[in-house]
Amino acid sequence: AERTEAEFLLKTDDDVYLRPAPLLRQLEHRIPAQYAWAIFDYISPVPRDEEDNFYNPEETFPFPVFPPYPRGVVRVLSMDVVRLLAKASQEGRLRMIYGDDPCIGVHLRQLLLDGEPLPSLTLDDFDNRVFAMEPSCHHNLWSKMTNRTWAIHHVKPEQIRCMWSADLAAAY
């Protein structure tokens, strides 16, 4: 990450269908510093039940809720943030918790408050309607697909092929 001209790092889960053009157009208008874009979770309680896959005992994380964190579907970090995270990791300064999504929120909080602090961090989640957490248009879903969606989570390979074919046919 030190020898790249990239301004942003994009991370997506492996079960996401992403239409990159709208994201790239959006990033052209963002300042590539102190920046994180995603669908954020702001008040996620820390799982204390030992049966939970993301159980975190109080010794590991003593707070009742996680700091804001970007959900894994698709996230973008400016490279200055990526470099600070890498440096803090190499120096062994990052607190590790269970759950990769909440863990990045903990790490971002540490950058803001510990060591060489990041002066500020823009959490850009202004337009969450570009995300669909399920490949469905069902009206009862809180994060359903619409004609404005360009990141769709929890898709199967055959659905990705279908979406890709539909996008090609529509000259996307």
Side-chain angles (χ1 to χ4, degrees):
E2 291 184 25
R3 292 180 180 85
T4 181
E5 299 303 315
E7 295 180 328
F8 298 100
L9 175 77
L10 167 72
K11 181 265 182 200
T12 122
D13 279 357
D14 62 356
D15 60 347
V16 170
Y17 184 73
L18 175 66
R19 294 178 173 125
L23 175 58
L24 295 174
R25 282 192 300 271
Q26 175 178 302
L27 292 175
E28 287 177 348
H29 303 286
R30 300 301 191 264
I31 297 171
Q34 303 171 5
Y35 181 79
W37 174 83
I39 183 169
F40 281 87
D41 196 327
Y42 287 97
I43 53 170
S44 180
V46 176
R48 299 293 186 208
D49 180 354
E50 291 184 24
E51 300 296 315
D52 193 294
N53 288 337
F54 298 109
Y55 164 69
N56 280 279
E58 287 200 36
E59 306 85 63
T60 302
F61 194 75
F63 308 102
V65 297
F66 292 118
Y69 63 85
R71 291 178 176 251
V73 55
V74 177
R75 66 178 138 225
V76 172
L77 297 174
S78 57
M79 288 305 294
D80 62 325
V81 174
V82 173
R83 287 183 184 100
L84 286 171
L85 286 168
K87 181 178 184 225
S89 177
Q90 290 166 350
E91 294 171 354
R93 293 188 288 122
L94 295 179
R95 166 184 266 165
M96 300 304 291
I97 64 166
Y98 296 104
D100 60 330
D101 292 352
C103 194
I104 190 75
V106 169
H107 295 166
L108 293 173
R109 183 179 185 276
Q110 284 183 260
L111 290 183
L112 288 167
L113 302 176
D114 299 343
E116 300 170 33
L118 187 63
S120 67
L121 181 65
T122 299
L123 302 183
D124 184 359
D125 66 347
F126 178 69
D127 189 1
N128 281 337
R129 292 176 292 170
V130 302
F131 293 100
M133 295 304 282
E134 298 294 334
S136 173
C137 301
H138 193 276
H139 66 280
N140 285 339
L141 292 174
W142 70 272
S143 181
K144 61 185 172 287
M145 289 175 27
T146 70
N147 61 349
R148 297 188 63 236
T149 303
W150 39 270
I152 302 128
H153 201 199
H154 301 131
V155 291
K156 296 180 175 106
E158 60 273 10
Q159 292 170 310
I160 290 173
R161 282 190 290 279
C162 176
M163 291 175 185
W164 178 254
S165 296
D167 279 351
L168 283 177
Y172 167 77

